[in-house]
Amino acid sequence: MGQKPFNDTFLKACRKEEVPYTPVWYMRQAGRYQPEYREIRKKYSFFEINENPEVCAEVTRLPVEQLGVDAAILFADIMTPLIPIGVDVDIVPSKGPVISNPIRTIDDVQRLKAIAPGTDLPFIGDTIKLLREQLSVPLIGFAGAPFTLSSYLIEGGPSKDYHKTKGFMYAHPNEWQALMDKLAEVTTAYLLYQIESGAQAVQVFDSWIGSVGADDYEKYIAPTMAKIFTELKKTGVPTIYFGSGTAHLLKIWNQLPVDVLSVDWRIDLKDVRALGINKALQGNLDPSTLLAPWDLLKEKAKNILDQGNEAPGYIFNLGHGVFPEASVSQLQQLTSFIHEYTKK
Ligand code: 1CP
């Protein structure tokens, strides 16, 4: 901790610079698949961990120390910055975020307060500062994207089809835009605060955006995302945009002022590049393969590494998050394999 020389491989890959090996980290790398996390979770609620810098930093460091990954990601949730703006959210075990006051009308949208991250969420800045003293790999900050945040706000919790969310978008375009504007302000201010506090890269999670068609994305979403990434770009810190099921959106994403596109396994990385995507890429192992026998997992990883490394600017990751049934030893073996196989 701290004494080790700083490993900037991940930051170099974000900038499409030469790297000594392919950097790797895993979305949701801190969480319930780790026995140590489950122990800590017995003592504290999700938001108690989040709001206690010592514990939050410990949970953030755990996968770095346990798996040997090349980046840490701040432990928090995409719902964290919504609490101070007036959203009543609870993280329900084996379900996810549940909201007791979902958005139904323009009054509900207008009721959402503006965010002042330094005073509303001082523990986030404190955790980041502590981690910067402790870590010898880059720290990634993150936030949810307006569409994905709005899906929880409108549906009231996790959803499979996002009918209510998209229904609101089609039926009330002005209210929808007001909601996007408000959430864009939250996401931008919250990420700028994380960067000021010491985050060395930021990822915007738009997990459920794949449910929106390309024409609707252009009309209802792209201007909001362009605004967010334009503001973030001014900091010079690398930015990453993640969504699942987004093959149909990648050409539009390529026009956004974002550095890295994080894609899932439904499209091969060689096919992403064949679309003319010239940004750095992150991904895209199917998380389910973590349950496959090692030889099969290794073949899958090798195939992805070969495709990812056909051009500069590639970061290995899963196509979506680690899940509770994944095994620590499988992830350890995978991380070592990625480093060894790609070493120059
Ligand atoms: O009780 C618990 O411990 C709940 C499990 C848990 C954890 C560990 C939740 C509830 N959130 C988190 C942490 C979390 N959430 C991180 C930590 C940093 C890391 O190690 O990666 C991050 C980046 C998130 C982001 C997040 N939360 C996303 C985007 C990424 C993704 O997986 O798509 C989303 C969609 C959420 C909502 C959420 N929070 C928690 C759950 C179980 C869910 C998903 C619910 C659903 O299926 O809609």
Side-chain angles (χ1 to χ4, degrees):
M1 261 176 20
Q3 298 91 329
K4 282 201 224 160
F6 185 69
N7 168 3
D8 64 351
T9 315
F10 162 78
L11 294 175
K12 283 189 166 139
C14 290
R15 298 192 194 103
K16 299 208 270 185
E17 291 167 12
E18 186 83 24
V19 285
Y21 58 85
T22 301
V24 48
W25 69 280
Y26 304 107
M27 290 185 271
R28 308 288 290 270
Q29 64 189 13
R32 289 162 296 172
Y33 76 98
Q34 297 170 299
E36 297 84 352
Y37 176 82
R38 293 197 297 270
E39 277 307 306
I40 295 171
R41 200 57 181 78
K42 281 184 194 160
K43 284 191 264 173
Y44 307 101
S45 72
F46 184 90
F47 288 114
E48 278 168 356
I49 300 176
N50 202 185
E51 290 169 18
N52 178 335
E54 301 283 336
V55 182
C56 192
E58 183 188 343
V59 171
T60 303
R61 285 196 321 272
L62 206 55
V64 178
E65 289 157 10
Q66 197 166 52
L67 307 178
V69 287
D70 300 286
I73 179 158
L74 175 72
F75 185 84
D77 194 71
I78 57 169
M79 295 295 135
T80 300
L82 300 187
I83 299 169
I85 72 167
V87 177
D88 192 359
V89 56
D90 190 15
I91 301 275
V92 176
S94 19
K95 193 163 180 200
V98 173
I99 283 139
S100 62
N101 54 345
I103 285 181
R104 297 279 178 263
T105 64
I106 186 70
D107 289 343
D108 296 333
V109 176
Q110 279 161 354
R111 225 180 27 233
L112 298 175
K113 290 180 274 210
I115 191 167
T119 39
D120 290 336
L121 306 160
F123 48 88
I124 292 290
D126 292 343
T127 304
I128 292 173
K129 286 180 196 133
L130 192 58
L131 280 164
R132 282 298 305 274
E133 289 168 17
Q134 297 171 334
L135 288 168
S136 52
V137 294
L139 176 64
I140 305 169
F142 78 91
F147 176 83
T148 292
L149 294 175
S150 77
S151 78
Y152 289 100
L153 288 177
I154 295 170
E155 310 280 339
S159 167
K160 282 201 165 60
D161 46 37
Y162 312 97
H163 288 324
K164 286 199 191 93
T165 309
K166 291 196 280 175
F168 189 82
M169 177 176 94
Y170 293 127
H172 310 288
N174 297 333
E175 287 81 353
W176 173 260
Q177 195 51 51
L179 180 59
M180 290 297 101
D181 289 346
K182 214 149 210 175
L183 294 174
E185 270 173 39
V186 171
T187 296
T188 307
Y190 180 52
L191 288 175
L192 289 175
Y193 168 63
Q194 292 181 49
I195 292 168
E196 277 162 31
S197 303
Q200 290 149 297
V202 288
Q203 175 154 325
V204 178
F205 283 96
D206 211 351
S207 306
W208 314 130
I209 194 61
S211 65
V212 174
D215 56 341
D216 287 338
Y217 187 89
E218 292 261 32
K219 183 172 172 186
Y220 298 101
I221 315 286
T224 303
M225 297 313 299
K227 205 163 70 179
I228 293 171
F229 286 120
T230 300
E231 287 307 307
L232 296 175
K233 199 177 174 64
K234 295 176 187 164
T235 67
V237 158
T239 53
I240 312 170
Y241 188 23
F242 164 76
S244 66
T246 59
H248 60 298
L249 302 176
L250 295 177
K251 279 188 175 168
I252 310 174
W253 284 19
N254 201 42
Q255 306 300 317
L256 294 171
V258 61
D259 299 305
V260 185
L261 301 186
S262 190
V263 297
D264 84 2
W265 61 94
R266 293 174 182 91
I267 182 165
D268 285 343
L269 295 179
K270 64 173 171 16
D271 296 332
V272 174
R273 291 231 170 82
L275 290 171
I277 307 300
N278 52 16
K279 295 189 186 286
L281 295 180
Q282 178 176 273
N284 66 343
L285 182 73
D286 182 343
S288 308
T289 59
L290 294 173
L291 298 178
W294 168 247
D295 285 349
L296 178 57
L297 173 56
K298 187 169 100 178
E299 280 315 302
K300 296 255 184 202
K302 210 188 246 181
N303 182 26
I304 289 170
L305 287 163
D306 290 345
Q307 293 186 34
N309 283 321
E310 272 171 18
Y314 171 61
I315 300 147
F316 190 95
N317 206 314
L318 302 177
H320 205 157
V322 183
F323 52 94
E325 295 77 16
S327 91
V328 172
S329 65
Q330 194 87 322
L331 281 161
Q332 283 168 330
Q333 202 171 357
L334 178 62
T335 311
S336 304
F337 171 72
I338 292 158
H339 287 158
E340 281 157 27
Y341 181 68
T342 59
K343 202 164 180 171
K344 285 176 188 148

